[in-house]
Amino acid sequence: MIAVTKWRVTQPSEQDTLRIHLTPANFTIPGGRATLGFEVRPVNNSGLIPNTVEIDSLSPGNVPTIDEEIGLPGGSSLVLGKFKYGDFDVHITGLDGTTGSWELLIFLAGDVTGDFVVDTTDHDLLNDVVNGNNTDPDFLAEGDANRDGKITGYDLARASENQGVATTVRILTLTVGLDPRAIAFENV
């Protein structure tokens, strides 16, 4: 997982937009394109049924989409796109005017081990499952690029095409709290 963000679609016609930047400083893309996944999940008993994200390149050229899914387990939607370096706007909307809270998970397709690089270890793990040498993988969620609940040749192909792709982007976890020294009590 590269990034997680949460927000809320409050109006039926509303579109939430996030901008992402892929640069040589934060991604290594040896083949010229990296396959990234964008999964939108409804959260907190949300009434949102998420559309697949729409991705706009701010540079010339588009983002080839290789898979789009709506109605995945938990009510999620998914887009797998092939990105080159550049700036992109990711648009989140509700299907049929639904509204509610959502969570966007961005992941590097094929990164089974979660080390932010797709390498031969990832490929070999997926290959073992596809060939029946590992019938009980504990990395199912990470290796399942199209989120269909199983590891297949499709998932292995995503790891193969992403071989050598790496990122320095890490998930930011922020905990907010009050500093007890900053609280002042007054008699009223």
Side-chain angles (χ1 to χ4, degrees), residues 20 22 29 32-34 36 38 55 63 81-85 88:
I20 62 170
L22 275 68
I29 307 176
R33 290 203 183 254
L36 299 179
F38 294 80
I55 303 166
V63 177
K82 298 186 72 65
F83 289 78
K84 57 186 179 179
Y85 293 121
F88 305 90

Side-chain angles (χ1 to χ4, degrees), residues 21-28 85 166-169:
H21 311 279
L22 275 68
T23 69
N26 62 21
F27 274 86
T28 302
Y85 293 121
T167 182
T168 59
V169 175

